[in-house]
């Protein structure tokens, strides 16, 4: 129900990513933390990889997670530094390294 436009008016899907946002950051902005939690709770390797790829794209080459990003342009984001999202992303990477290192170490094993 959360990951569906039909039941959640704050689920957005664009050219950069898809995920949940909220009214305080603006309509059409996606929360990376929602994508992180989606990836951390998934058991589907394809969905986990999709979340990881979206999150990397969402940094807009800054190297940091933001509070939110525009669904069609990761360069439009809120909070250039958001420690909560960065910390949670770090936990996600550690989880992937423990459970599915091939997703991170592509070609290095």
């Amino acid at each position: 129900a959360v990951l569906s436009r039909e039941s959640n008016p704050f689920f957005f899907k664009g050219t950069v990513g898809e995920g949940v946002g909220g009214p305080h950051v603006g309509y059409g902005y996606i929360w990376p933390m929602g994508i992180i939690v989606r990836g951390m709770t998934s058991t589907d390797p394809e969905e986990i990889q999709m979340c990881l790829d979206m999150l990397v794209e969402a940094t807009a080459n800054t190297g940091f997670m933001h509070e939110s990003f525009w669904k069609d342009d990761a360069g439009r984001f809120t909070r250039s530094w958001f420690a909560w999202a960065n910390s949670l992303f770090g936990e996600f990477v550690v989880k992937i390294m423990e459970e599915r290192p091939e997703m991170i170490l592509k070609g290095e094993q």
Side-chain angles (χ1 to χ4, degrees), residues 9-65:
F10 291 100
F11 177 79
F12 306 109
K13 187 171 187 171
T15 57
V16 175
E18 65 180 47
V20 177
H24 79 278
V25 293
Y27 196 80
Y29 281 82
I30 298 169
W31 292 329
M33 287 178 53
I35 298 170
I36 295 166
V37 171
R38 179 180 179 180
M40 289 180 81
T41 58
S42 178
T43 57
D44 178 5
E46 289 181 16
E47 183 177 34
I48 296 166
Q49 186 67 60
M50 179 186 75
C51 291
L52 184 59
D53 293 344
M54 280 192 290
L55 290 162
V56 170
E57 180 73 20
T59 67
N61 294 316
T62 64
F64 298 111
M65 291 292 124

Side-chain angles (χ1 to χ4, degrees), residues 83-104:
W84 189 6
N86 280 295
S87 299
L88 192 60
F89 180 68
E91 288 184 43
F92 183 38
V93 170
V94 168
K95 180 175 175 29
I96 292 171
M97 282 299 295
E98 290 173 347
E99 297 174 5
R100 303 171 190 276
E102 69 280 359
M103 287 185 172
I104 305 259

